[in-house]
Amino acid sequence: MRSYGLSEIRAINGKYSMFHAMTEEEPSEGRFHFSAKDNLTSKGMETCSGSRILEGYRPAFDATSIERMKAAGGELIGKTNMDEFGFGTFSTNSGLEVPRNPFDLERACGGSSGGSACAAAVFEDHVSLGVSTGGSICCPASFCGVYGIAPTYGRVSRYGLIDYGNSLDKIGVLSSKATDLRKYIGVMAGKDERDPTSCAQPELGDSHVKLGSVAVPMEGVEGLSKDVEAAFRSALVELERMGVDVEYVNMPSLKYAMPAYYVLATSEASTNLARYVGMRYGQQEGDLSLKFDDYFTSFRSEYFGDEAKRRILLGTFTRMVGFRDRYYAKALQVRKVVIDDYKRVLADHDAVLAPTMPFTAPRFDDISKMSALDSYKADYLTIPANIAGTPHMSVPCGYDSDGMPIGMQFVADHWNEEVLFSIAEDWEREFELRRPEVVA
Ligand code: GLN
């Protein structure tokens, strides 16, 4: 097992900025190294959720996911950079450092678990915990050329997770080794009395399930870049060669998932952010001579980034009396229709399959020209499975003409992670994964 010393970790981080906080002690030999997205609380290690408003917050406890990884022999070496509170697709909406793509330092890692995907790609024998609300595990996994899984909603305890959208957030795993998905979801899964949304759940199976058939939604192969389309087509041919039936289907609800998601996610986020007022966590250096609401406002104006402010406005609007039936209640109805669509298709197929992202990792200068809406739209392939709460996984399936990784996303029925683990393990034997050349 490759293990890294403190100075090496620091030097690598200096190039890629995958970590915000890092271990301050020499990591011990013999324990496996892992990192965790910075919205998971880590005892004594700074936890900011990518936000300046939380700078200096050192939690008094570990999130259940981190606690279970440590109990299984893991050593937490770093907290990974991310979009502020998970609000983004490229990790460029961070109030702190922005991670760089291991295949091209001028490009983004994806988001919002960008630092986790970066760490999983760069460090050998490393597993990183990510969190997905609308695709934040699969998107960066695809941009950085690693495997990434978001399990069924309720499979892994959210205790100690800094909430973005409580009904959507799922903790999962990113790694360059397919077998790590089964192993570490297994370590973290299970009901937790401290999180009422964690479920009494069917056991995670540990047998190998051969993939029989996949459904490719017509709606999932629209709007792709040429390279993504070509890589995806050859992956389908490869799957057929492996004995998998590939069938094209219609899933008309998918195109409504993205607008519904941004209503639901911002509605939940805007209430979650109400607690950050400069009194309890992180930054508390405000002007105490102000009236309390002026103090809160000055504080939030100063330390929240633009995207957090945009989402507070959007989410407050969609929940307002007079608008909530039109937006929030409608979005809940759409969510139900999307779930029904998956259930219908998954009754006849083992998984639904489409590319993970419509393009490969963009350059930072191109991202800076994108509007908020452009970046929201980039998520149309990852969002549907997230609002359905179904487990989903991105596996590397090719490289574009610049050598940038391309991923495809499998979605299985609720609680059926077993089929996803098996697909990843079978695919790993057939697909030649490229490791980035690591500079330090
Ligand atoms: N890009 C999506 C968003 O900005 C998803 C992010 C996430 O899953 N945290 O909401």
Side-chain angles (χ1 to χ4, degrees):
M1 192 168 68
R2 171 83 159 91
S3 159
Y4 294 78
L6 196 52
S7 57
E8 207 176 356
I9 296 172
R10 286 192 181 135
I12 292 176
N13 194 51
K15 274 281 185 293
Y16 298 93
S17 295
M18 62 273 279
F19 299 142
H20 176 59
M22 271 171 290
T23 174
E24 282 156 21
E25 283 154 33
E26 201 57 60
S28 24
E29 299 268 333
R31 293 178 74 82
F32 70 85
H33 291 179
F34 75 102
S35 54
K37 191 172 181 176
D38 198 27
N39 54 359
L40 293 166
T41 54
S42 46
K43 192 171 176 182
M45 199 185 280
E46 195 183 9
T47 300
C48 301
S49 204
S51 184
R52 285 177 61 219
I53 213 160
L54 278 173
E55 266 186 296
Y57 172 46
R58 286 176 181 267
F61 65 105
D62 277 328
T64 299
S65 48
I66 291 186
E67 185 183 88
R68 291 187 179 174
M69 291 292 281
K70 287 182 176 173
E75 178 142 345
L76 178 65
I77 64 163
K79 300 298 294 298
T80 61
N81 279 312
M82 55 181 283
D83 290 295
E84 183 173 20
F85 294 107
F87 304 152
T89 307
F90 306 110
S91 297
T92 46
N93 292 336
S94 169
L96 309 169
E97 303 84 25
V98 174
R100 296 176 168 273
N101 194 295
F103 288 85
D104 177 350
L105 296 175
E106 292 311 311
R107 293 179 191 248
C109 288
S112 58
S113 311
S116 293
C118 182
V122 167
F123 291 104
E124 283 175 50
D125 298 319
H126 184 93
V127 54
S128 194
L129 307 187
V131 179
S132 178
T133 307
S136 280
I137 291 178
C138 285
C139 160
S142 138
F143 282 178
C144 293
V146 296
Y147 294 83
I149 187 166
T152 310
Y153 177 82
R155 175 68 90 182
V156 174
S157 167
R158 291 170 42 250
Y159 180 73
L161 166 66
I162 296 175
D163 301 308
Y164 166 178
N166 309 37
S167 78
L168 295 153
D169 300 337
K170 299 157 295 289
I171 298 164
V173 165
L174 296 102
S175 174
S176 57
K177 281 204 285 249
T179 45
D180 278 354
L181 307 187
R182 188 189 290 272
K183 189 161 157 193
Y184 295 110
I185 293 293
V187 163
M188 293 189 293
K191 187 167 170 54
D192 175 9
E193 293 307 327
R194 295 173 296 184
D195 169 19
T197 66
S198 71
C199 294
Q201 51 190 260
E203 288 275 300
L204 269 179
D206 62 3
S207 51
H208 195 85
V209 192
K210 167 123 184 44
L211 177 65
S213 67
V214 291
V216 177
M218 297 303 292
E219 295 76 5
V221 287
E222 285 165 10
L224 308 175
S225 77
K226 279 210 166 50
D227 284 341
V228 169
E229 182 165 352
F232 184 64
R233 299 260 174 230
S234 32
L236 293 182
V237 172
E238 181 62 19
L239 284 170
E240 281 176 327
R241 197 194 57 75
M242 290 163 69
V244 179
D245 272 347
V246 175
E247 195 193 321
Y248 284 89
V249 297
N250 286 304
M251 293 184 70
S253 71
L254 296 192
K255 62 174 175 295
Y256 303 108
M258 199 266 290
Y261 166 81
Y262 276 99
V263 169
L264 296 172
T266 55
S267 298
E268 296 187 22
S270 60
T271 62
N272 281 324
L273 295 187
R275 72 190 68 154
Y276 304 108
V277 293
M279 290 187 67
R280 298 188 195 88
Y281 326 91
Q283 301 274 12
Q284 295 172 25
E285 304 296 314
D287 176 0
L288 289 172
S289 68
L290 295 173
K291 271 201 352 233
F292 74 90
D293 48 353
D294 292 337
Y295 173 88
F296 293 170
T297 304
S298 67
F299 209 86
R300 290 158 67 84
S301 308
E302 163 87 19
Y303 291 111
F304 277 142
D306 288 348
E307 189 56 32
K309 290 175 185 161
R310 183 178 293 117
R311 295 195 184 208
I312 292 171
L313 290 174
L314 253 172
T316 306
F317 173 74
T318 52
R319 287 184 291 107
M320 256 163 74
V321 177
F323 293 105
R324 66 173 164 235
D325 290 347
R326 192 184 301 181
Y327 295 107
Y328 185 71
K330 197 75 189 171
L332 284 176
Q333 289 172 333
V334 172
R335 185 177 204 168
K336 173 77 171 64
V337 175
V338 173
I339 295 171
D340 291 346
D341 229 2
Y342 275 113
K343 290 284 178 200
R344 174 179 61 77
V345 173
L346 290 168
D348 298 328
H349 300 276
D350 297 321
V352 173
L353 173 64
T356 308
M357 294 301 288
F359 45 73
T360 53
R363 293 192 169 80
F364 291 117
D365 50 356
D366 291 328
I367 296 170
S368 64
K369 292 180 209 129
M370 287 169 85
S371 68
L373 196 59
D374 290 336
S375 80
Y376 295 176
K377 285 200 283 204
D379 296 336
Y380 71 97
L381 297 168
T382 54
I383 278 176
N386 278 275
I387 67 170
T390 40
H392 51 283
M393 165 183 81
S394 183
V395 309
C397 70
Y399 298 87
D400 73 6
S401 49
D402 294 325
M404 298 307 293
I406 296 169
M408 58 181 172
Q409 180 183 262
F410 291 88
V411 182
D413 206 351
H414 295 111
W415 310 112
N416 192 10
E417 287 85 354
E418 198 173 22
V419 73
L420 299 180
F421 298 150
S422 307
I423 295 170
E425 288 152 9
D426 287 342
W427 184 256
E428 187 178 51
R429 269 179 245 116
E430 305 297 327
F431 181 75
E432 204 173 316
L433 187 83
R434 295 186 201 160
R435 299 290 312 233
E437 201 179 307
V438 178
V439 284

